[in-house]
Amino acid sequence: MPKFEYAPAPESRSIVDLAASYGLFIDGEFTDGGGTSFKTVNPATEEVLAEVAEADEADVDRAVRAARTAYEKVWGPMPGRERAKYLFRIARILAERSREFAVLETLDNGKPIRESRDVDVPLVSQWFFYHAGWADKLDHAGLGPNPRPLGVAAQVIPWNFPLLMLAWKVAPALAAGNTVVLKPAETTPLTALLFADVCRQAELPAGVVNIVTGAGETGRLLVSHPDVNKVAFTGSTPVGREIARTVAGTDKHLTLELGGKAANIVFEDAPMDQAIEGIVRGIFFNQGHVCCAGSRLLVQESVAEEVLERLKARMATLRLGDPLDKNTDVGAINSAEQLGRIRDLAAAGDEEGATRWSAPCELPDRGFWYAPTIFTGVTQAHRIAREEIFGPVLSVLTFRTPAEAVEKANNTPFGLSAGVWTEKGSRILAIADQLRAGVVWANTFNQFDPASPFGGYKESGYGREGGRHGLASYLEGSK
Amino acid sequence: MSKTLIAGLDRLPGVDKVGLEARAAQLASRSIKTTSKQWAIDLAISMVDLTTLEGADSPGKVRALAAKALRPDPTDPSCPRAAAVCVYGDMAGYVREVVGDQVHVAAVATAFPSGRASLEVKLADTAAAVENGADEIDMVIDRGAFLSGDLATVHDQIVAVKEACGSAHLKVILETGELQTYDNVRRASWLAMDAGADFIKTSTGKIQPAATLPVTLLMLEAVRDYRIATGRQVGVKPAGGIRTTKDAIKYLVVVNEIAGEDWLDPDWFRFGASSLLNDLLMQRQKMLTGRYSGPDYVTLD
């Protein structure tokens, strides 16, 4: 009997017009950057996709001044109901061009088209629709009548969800009446630059959205610019710390969404098949490049063996490979650098005596790849249980009682998210109440909604994005 | 039925509705093309239980259906046969005359579709169908007893019918549309398997909703887990409402990814359907010739 082989089902990349080089988007125009331009590659093939400009100090200053002018002359004074029209228009255009965005996101980031098409891009459009609805209702955001925008927002976003993080930052800022200068990650700038095209298509006034590309130095110049009123950053905890130091002592507002090491807690009475799916979604979604990934599995001892057997069987069905194939479940690691970091931390797991098991999948010859991996026999003392790996690597720990589960889940410097799997409703509420994490998912994992605030405790950062709370971080209450 | 078995059924893991349906939807989005599609269509044809269950069924009608099961596409001898013809018990003999031992003869029994009759009547119904030549019996469970919590009655009736089947295979219809919850479907699946079912089947086709992808996925999880627990393999048959090739292929994807490739075989997976076969045949002709023909290029029944 022949095995069920899915024939390749590649999404066409012809829908995307890739330019050989991209400039900076400042004051509604694409311009050259003053820095040394750099290349962005397709992590699945190592093919160079395009050359991208680097913004130097003068470029960043120009972008901030453009944003300031647009804020004072156009966007700030504009009634909310007018701003809403622009946001609705952007949301619609994003939905109309969703296939183009999904393909480009997959090319630049390495994530499977199934996820960019079914998760990222639809959420991006939803984020703009949701915040468009808020633009004329800011009086009801819980900050009293007539809350005011902060001014110019400097926004720095990571490479794991390039377009979605852009939406999380830009949509609330614009809805609240701020203008923005956004810096996408240096490995994934292309969808942000395509978004600039959407802003032009929507006839957004010049200077309301500015996009400066570059690496760490460009980001540093942006967040330390004296004429910026708000800094919003999503990324690693070390960089977040540096930004907090830079901003300290100024009157800039700051939101930080940093790392995580989320506990995914499976009780013995969990809906077992769905819990296995939730574990898989928790850690292997987006190759584990998720700050709220469920990277620590806490499973009750009585079912630990069963859960592991089922998990391994399920992992063996994950399809790793060409991210543009519609049947691919696990795509490429975003960069050689990140792949090295994952390998180093996994090696630490071996050295410290944990047992490694990887899904039996063939890795492509070219590109950056890492097979979905679990470590068993992990304890709280292991590095792989404490440090964020940011890759498809799961550490499995066990517990005996609910109290022990909570204790272990909270025993981490992070606190972004957590998961609870049990059929008992009262236990869900009791455990969720005790977990120190910004989001607790019950019988599900990695679900995002524009109406739901998202953010962390402890080293996972501060401030919230999404919902009324996220909006509030771009507004000042009336005084 | 022993108390320990009932306690065991209570300890089955729960089913989270949202998660189950999300998983089914995700698997349904698999993209199947060209060579895999060709292979899947032939496999699906070989899994069809070609069915007629009307009060107005006549010997002539079921003979015609039996002929079709033997030669689904008269213009193409390479087209595989259907797995079985499924009829009422009194019609089984006419099917057997036509198909000989080349295709299975399935008969519904046990006061199908309601199951509302005494056990004696159900057993007599079963025995008569077997005597008429059926080598597969599709029985319905007593949903009234199941929903009132009287699992022992359901279990014991399946055991008795299985005995009355003799060497015929027993397919147990859970009528999942009436069981309402996914937890009930999982419990009924285990109950039926434990009582000796060779196949578990979703529906009679007379109640809506009939087979759905999530319910079938859940039953495939049950047979997979049951084989791990006991070593015995049980088949699955979704029935009712599967009309298109596209749907059938989604089911095959779920079979492959949930239960595994061991179940990708007419011995372990069937489609209970009447109109599905013609769509499979039209798609098959399209794949082979590159052109769509039309409903007049496949036989009526």
Side-chain angles (χ1 to χ4, degrees):
Chain A
M1 187 178 59
K3 201 174 161 237
F4 202 146
E5 293 275 6
Y6 304 121
E11 173 64 88
S12 162
R13 54 181 288 180
S14 64
I15 188 165
V16 174
D17 285 325
L18 267 176
S21 67
Y22 289 88
L24 311 169
F25 184 67
I26 297 174
D27 206 15
E29 300 291 335
F30 280 103
T31 65
D32 292 337
T36 325
S37 60
F38 59 98
K39 293 178 173 65
T40 182
V41 301
N42 178 346
T45 60
E46 298 177 53
E47 160 208 13
V48 174
L49 292 170
E51 194 144 309
V52 182
E54 186 193 39
D56 66 7
E57 194 167 356
D59 298 322
V60 169
D61 185 55
R62 225 155 25 96
V64 173
R65 273 190 286 127
R68 172 65 58 197
T69 309
Y71 171 68
E72 282 170 0
K73 300 247 160 79
V74 192
W75 199 248
M78 188 186 284
R81 62 177 184 278
E82 291 299 315
R83 286 200 306 270
K85 290 181 191 171
Y86 288 101
L87 286 165
F88 274 122
R89 206 180 292 162
I90 291 172
R92 275 199 310 272
I93 295 170
L94 284 164
E96 281 162 14
R97 298 175 66 173
S98 61
R99 195 159 148 241
E100 189 183 353
F101 272 101
V103 171
L104 185 59
E105 190 80 323
T106 288
L107 283 174
D108 204 17
N109 172 277
K111 65 175 69 198
I113 186 82
R114 191 168 64 74
E115 288 175 5
S116 56
R117 177 195 69 193
D118 297 348
V119 183
D120 293 55
V121 177
L123 276 173
V124 166
S125 182
Q126 281 169 31
W127 236 270
F128 278 94
F129 273 122
Y130 173 82
H131 286 96
W134 266 117
D136 62 348
K137 302 176 195 70
L138 298 176
D139 291 358
H140 308 285
L143 296 161
N146 302 315
R148 288 174 294 114
L150 303 177
V152 175
Q155 307 181 320
V156 179
I157 56 171
W159 47 260
N160 58 340
F161 290 94
L163 189 62
L164 184 61
M165 290 301 106
L166 174 148
W168 282 30
K169 298 276 181 292
V170 173
L174 296 194
N178 304 273
T179 55
V180 308
V181 181
L182 176 110
K183 188 197 87 70
E186 70 270 28
T187 60
T188 56
L190 295 183
T191 40
L193 295 166
L194 189 61
F195 177 77
D197 189 46
V198 170
C199 293
R200 292 215 289 202
Q201 195 183 340
E203 292 170 17
L204 191 71
V208 174
V209 169
N210 304 276
I211 293 166
V212 291
T213 44
E217 182 54 28
T218 307
R220 206 168 292 127
L221 291 166
L222 179 58
V223 301
S224 60
H225 193 287
D227 200 27
V228 154
N229 305 98
K230 156 88 186 181
V231 173
F233 172 74
T234 296
S236 72
T237 297
V239 177
R241 239 183 239 128
E242 200 187 312
I243 291 176
R245 271 194 291 268
T246 309
V247 170
T250 71
D251 59 357
K252 291 175 189 170
H253 295 247
L254 178 62
T255 310
L256 295 173
E257 299 285 1
L258 309 176
K261 193 71 189 177
N264 204 359
I265 308 170
V266 177
F267 286 97
E268 60 184 0
D269 66 345
M272 196 53 72
D273 291 293
Q274 287 74 48
I276 300 297
E277 282 312 304
I279 295 166
V280 168
R281 187 184 170 93
I283 185 65
F284 303 124
F285 174 65
N286 204 35
Q287 297 74 247
H289 300 331
V290 185
C291 48
C292 51
S295 53
R296 276 187 304 150
L297 176 64
L298 294 179
V299 53
Q300 197 153 12
E301 255 180 32
S302 51
V303 291
E305 208 174 308
E306 187 191 349
V307 166
L308 280 171
E309 263 172 43
R310 285 170 178 260
L311 179 61
K312 287 177 182 174
R314 172 67 179 91
M315 283 168 66
T317 68
L318 286 172
R319 300 170 60 82
L320 177 145
D322 179 7
L324 275 178
D325 190 319
K326 292 169 197 157
N327 290 324
T328 292
D329 299 316
V330 181
I333 302 300
N334 183 251
S335 63
E337 192 192 355
Q338 182 59 23
L339 181 59
R341 224 172 288 152
I342 296 168
R343 283 188 178 143
D344 288 349
L345 270 163
D350 294 328
E351 278 161 29
E352 288 168 351
T355 310
R356 182 203 288 243
W357 185 89
S358 293
C361 49
E362 228 171 272
L363 302 185
D365 299 332
R366 300 194 60 197
F368 317 125
W369 301 91
Y370 201 86
T373 296
I374 54 176
F375 276 101
T376 52
V378 179
T379 72
Q380 291 289 93
H382 284 101
R383 272 181 74 195
I384 50 170
R386 305 206 70 78
E387 292 177 33
E388 186 179 36
I389 299 179
F390 222 65
V393 181
L394 177 68
S395 300
V396 185
L397 298 93
T398 58
F399 68 88
R400 290 157 298 173
T401 63
E404 189 184 344
V406 170
E407 207 171 32
K408 282 186 168 168
N410 286 338
N411 180 220
T412 165
F414 297 106
L416 193 53
S417 67
V420 182
W421 295 84
T422 169
E423 278 278 280
K424 200 173 158 107
S426 59
R427 180 178 290 149
I428 290 174
L429 297 176
I431 300 287
D433 216 28
Q434 299 170 63
L435 289 172
R436 282 183 292 158
V439 186
V440 179
W441 285 293
N443 290 342
T444 187
F445 211 94
N446 273 347
Q447 300 287 343
F448 308 100
D449 189 294
S452 170
F454 181 94
Y457 280 48
K458 300 189 272 187
E459 290 201 12
S460 291
Y462 43 76
R464 292 292 178 267
E465 292 185 293
R468 204 164 49 79
H469 303 79
L471 203 60
S473 61
Y474 284 96
L475 287 169
E476 249 172 337
S478 51
K479 284 170 195 160
Chain B
M1 188 176 96
S2 68
K3 282 210 170 98
T4 53
L5 175 60
I6 293 178
L9 292 176
D10 283 342
R11 279 203 303 274
L12 285 172
V15 184
D16 185 75
K17 182 173 182 282
V18 176
L20 173 70
E21 290 173 358
R23 175 87 169 116
Q26 194 211 73
L27 287 176
S29 74
R30 286 274 188 241
S31 182
I32 309 297
K33 303 213 148 165
T34 52
T35 48
S36 341
K37 190 172 172 191
Q38 225 155 8
W39 175 82
I41 287 174
D42 276 8
L43 181 64
I45 291 173
S46 75
M47 288 173 162
V48 168
D49 280 7
L50 203 51
T51 303
T52 179
L53 294 168
E54 291 168 18
D57 283 343
S58 64
K61 156 121 190 183
V62 300
R63 278 196 191 105
L65 202 67
K68 173 147 186 172
L70 279 179
R71 281 178 305 280
D73 187 344
T75 64
D76 182 359
S78 75
C79 180
R81 288 185 186 123
V85 178
C86 182
V87 293
Y88 279 109
D90 60 329
M91 293 285 153
Y94 304 113
V95 180
R96 184 57 80 196
E97 278 171 25
V98 177
V99 301
D101 56 3
Q102 302 182 78
V103 165
H104 290 291
V105 179
V108 294
T110 69
F112 180 93
S114 70
R116 297 253 68 85
S118 68
L119 182 59
E120 289 74 26
V121 170
K122 290 179 179 180
L123 295 178
D125 195 9
T126 306
V130 173
E131 204 160 301
N132 278 339
D135 60 351
E136 296 182 351
I137 296 296
D138 290 24
M139 77 167 283
V140 289
I141 65 166
D142 184 339
R143 283 89 72 195
F146 184 91
L147 290 172
S148 66
D150 185 3
L151 303 185
T153 294
V154 180
H155 183 268
D156 295 348
Q157 287 195 1
I158 298 171
V159 171
V161 173
K162 168 76 182 164
E163 207 179 295
C165 283
S167 62
H169 273 252
L170 177 63
K171 304 196 196 103
V172 178
I173 302 171
L174 309 179
E175 196 64 294
T176 53
E178 287 184 345
L179 298 185
Q180 300 279 337
T181 69
Y182 289 123
D183 286 327
N184 275 348
V185 172
R186 175 169 280 176
R187 212 171 290 138
S189 298
W190 279 78
L191 186 68
M193 291 187 288
D194 193 77
D198 298 300
F199 255 82
I200 50 177
K201 176 175 167 184
T202 59
S203 327
T204 59
K206 307 284 184 191
I207 295 287
Q208 286 303 324
T212 66
L213 203 55
V215 151
T216 310
L217 190 157
L218 177 58
M219 288 164 66
L220 285 160
E221 286 172 351
V223 295
R224 174 199 68 193
D225 294 347
Y226 187 77
R227 190 176 77 170
I228 292 170
T230 67
R232 189 167 79 87
Q233 187 165 344
V234 175
V236 175
K237 176 178 170 183
I242 306 164
R243 293 194 179 85
T244 65
T245 301
K246 208 172 168 182
D247 280 343
I249 292 177
K250 286 178 188 171
Y251 278 82
L252 293 182
V253 169
V254 171
V255 173
N256 183 48
E257 299 216 14
I258 299 295
E261 58 185 81
D262 287 355
W263 270 266
L264 280 176
D265 185 299
D267 283 349
W268 302 112
F269 193 78
R270 296 276 181 85
F271 291 106
S274 44
S275 58
L276 170 65
L277 183 58
N278 271 358
D279 192 63
L280 287 165
L281 294 173
M282 283 197 281
Q283 290 294 331
R284 191 174 187 277
Q285 289 173 352
K286 157 79 176 18
M287 301 284 302
L288 294 176
T289 65
R291 285 178 293 279
Y292 271 114
S293 39
D296 287 343
Y297 290 80
V298 289
T299 52
L300 202 55
D301 56 22

